[in-house]
Amino acid sequence: MTDRSEAILPTFDDVIVAHERIKPYIHRTPVLTSRFMNELTGAKLFFKCENFQKAGAFKVRGASNAVFGLSEAEAAKGVATHSSGNHALSLSYAAGQRGIPCHVVMPNTAPEAKKAAVRGYGGLITECEPSTSSREAVFAEVQSRTGANFVHPYNDPRVIAGQATCSRELLEQVEGLEAIIAPIGGGGMISGCCLTLSRLAPKMEIYAAEPEQADDAYRSFKAGRIIADDAPVTVADGLKVPLKENTWHFVSRYVTDILTASEEEIIEAMKLTWQRMKIVMEPSCAVPLATILKNPATFRGKRVGVIITGGNVDLDKLPWMNG
Amino acid sequence: MTDRSEAILPTFDDVIVAHERIKPYIHRTPVLTSRFMNELTGAKLFFKCENFQKAGAFKVRGASNAVFGLSEAEAAKGVATHSSGNHALSLSYAAGQRGIPCHVVMPNTAPEAKKAAVRGYGGLITECEPSTSSREAVFAEVQSRTGANFVHPYNDPRVIAGQATCSRELLEQVEGLEAIIAPIGGGGMISGCCLTLSRLAPKMEIYAAEPEQADDAYRSFKAGRIIADDAPVTVADGLKVPLKENTWHFVSRYVTDILTASEEEIIEAMKLTWQRMKIVMEPSCAVPLATILKNPATFRGKRVGVIITGGNVDLDKLPWMNG
């Protein structure tokens, strides 16, 4: 899939419908502030804590919107995806809430803990070899056998509309925000921010934060076309995937800038957040704070919304352990 | 000091005064719930999150009450304590808020990180040898040199009245609580619960949770007199200290029962809370959940307040790392 594929875009009406639809299945997550972090950065930071979200991440918003938007006939066949991360958990959770099957194709090399987590939410795992060709073949087989509805982790307009409810809530919770910053991987969350803010707060700056070692979105943004990396290596393992046409549409039009941080800066910011704010969050969520600390002049004096995207972390493999 | 020393007891009026006095310097911390934890335990748990408290622990309540209750003349000479834990941080924070010196006597063997944390809050450290005799000699010297007001970590009536504001808040935040559970070390927090609840909710059950490996409060409770251990070893390092006459007064009269948990159970409960509730808390805070899981019949079906006492943990030395 390239940036020449035709984008299928959600509208802001879809966001309103999504928000009504998913409300029974998600938390309206709290917004935390920290005097320490404000003094450190010179900004006024408002942390939107999707680590406290159902299934541990914002992904449940988009997954629930897709699942609960299906007709009865569609729903009966279930949903399917390929993911070994938060999307797999979230889709399994949402399907469980509707009482329909969720098929998840995962590489047989995925850690046992991740498989157990997906199964814990009721997901039905089919294993594939750890290659794109095997994943596609196995996924095609699962889908043709079950007729399940494919819910892409981020390039699906239903998913983008669902993720857009996060920034909509944040606007309701905090007055006078001047900027928002979120991590960027495939671009689902950032696209949701763009969709909401371009309608409700068009002057607000939108920053995407990315690991230097997986900076395909940064390079795409500068080049004006999607550049995909093969196999980036970063502790922020939720952010390795490339942009696709639907998310590129939003990123290329509405994002103010993409900022990057090194692995060391990400780990330092993650540790600092755990120490000072006492919250458990994934390495991906630390990328925004790392870039704020790296670019103080961009944020100083501003009221900035910071999306903490998820809290599903392997406590036995924290990034500062083996470093 | 034995249980025959004369207790100097705070009253509930002292709690009301303390609460007014310290409000500008503390957070009204949130109460979190978790469907997962409720299903796991069969109880309805309400977690009072003092890990989000100023200086990272409930101890700031008692410390602030002591500091802001001093006359101008007393305050000018500052405050002093011996502690290498949360009380040292909290007293330093509170003294800093009032703009007075805080002298902290710490063993020269204390980890550099703890010294740095106390200094970070403005505390003035005087080191002693790691023995009781050295600590007492050095502390006496500091106090006679400075005239500073001694604020004991838990046996001070001003401190107990301050800690009592925590359960008072919890009663305001959650209706119909039937039991409360908190970790017990020296007994400051539990005494505060007793002081508040014996007045406001005398039928509520009060449970204290203690590590098996530092179960001096449990044994004291069963024996009817203070039994102090010499040097208990537990991951719950905030709970090693013994009861003293003021806290024994409350514990012996108002506590329903003292429950204990093994090191493994404590670590498992700590990890579970981090994983499912996404909050950073100290090992001590996991003791209540560990004992609830161990004694399900005691709590099943009840609305239970659980005090999460603090979040100051060394991320480089998590208890499941070296195990």
Side-chain angles (χ1 to χ4, degrees), chain A residues 87-102:
Chain A
H87 178 64
L89 291 181
S90 294
L91 196 64
S92 301
Y93 163 81
Q97 291 293 308
R98 187 154 180 185
I100 63 175
C102 176

Side-chain angles (χ1 to χ4, degrees), chain A residues 87-287:
Chain A
H87 178 64
L89 291 181
S90 294
L91 196 64
S92 301
Y93 163 81
Q97 291 293 308
R98 187 154 180 185
I100 63 175
C102 176
H103 303 279
V104 178
V105 172
M106 282 173 78
N108 51 23
T109 50
E112 202 47 56
K114 293 207 168 188
K115 294 179 195 167
V118 167
R119 287 195 198 99
Y121 282 106
L124 305 163
I125 297 174
T126 307
E127 295 194 353
C128 64
E129 299 297 318
S131 71
T132 305
S133 58
S134 169
R135 188 193 72 195
E136 289 179 352
V138 171
F139 187 77
E141 186 279 317
V142 168
Q143 213 185 355
S144 77
R145 174 165 49 81
T146 60
N149 187 282
F150 175 38
V151 184
H152 188 280
Y154 54 89
N155 201 47
D156 186 310
R158 302 168 296 178
V159 169
I160 294 171
Q163 320 307 31
T165 63
C166 179
S167 45
R168 188 171 182 241
E169 273 179 22
L170 181 57
L171 286 187
E172 291 168 1
Q173 292 169 303
V174 183
E175 287 191 4
L177 280 183
E178 296 163 277
I180 198 165
I181 184 166
I184 189 164
M189 168 52 75
I190 281 287
S191 293
C193 291
C194 292
L195 178 54
T196 291
L197 300 178
S198 63
R199 171 65 71 96
L200 298 182
K203 288 184 181 162
M204 198 183 300
E205 296 173 344
I206 302 173
Y207 293 94
E210 196 174 36
E212 267 173 25
Q213 291 188 195
D215 68 343
D216 53 283
Y218 171 83
R219 286 180 290 121
S220 302
F221 190 73
K222 299 301 175 192
R225 62 185 170 82
I226 296 179
I227 298 171
D229 278 345
D230 226 21
V233 175
T234 170
V235 291
D237 57 2
L239 307 181
K240 292 177 179 178
V241 290
L243 296 170
K244 288 191 175 291
E245 70 279 4
N246 289 341
T247 51
W248 172 245
H249 169 88
F250 290 104
V251 169
S252 59
R253 279 165 183 76
Y254 300 110
V255 164
T256 308
D257 204 357
I258 299 185
L259 308 171
T260 63
S262 71
E263 297 295 294
E264 292 69 25
E265 290 159 346
I266 294 167
I267 294 169
E268 188 53 41
M270 179 179 173
K271 215 170 164 181
L272 198 63
T273 311
W274 286 43
Q275 281 167 336
R276 303 304 301 226
M277 298 186 63
K278 316 298 182 189
I279 59 173
V280 169
M281 63 176 198
E282 300 169 6
S284 303
C285 315
V287 187

Side-chain angles (χ1 to χ4, degrees), chain A residues 295-309:
Chain A
N295 300 277
T298 306
F299 297 96
R300 191 171 292 133
K302 289 183 192 162
R303 292 168 69 83
V304 183
V306 182
I307 313 284
I308 303 288
T309 44

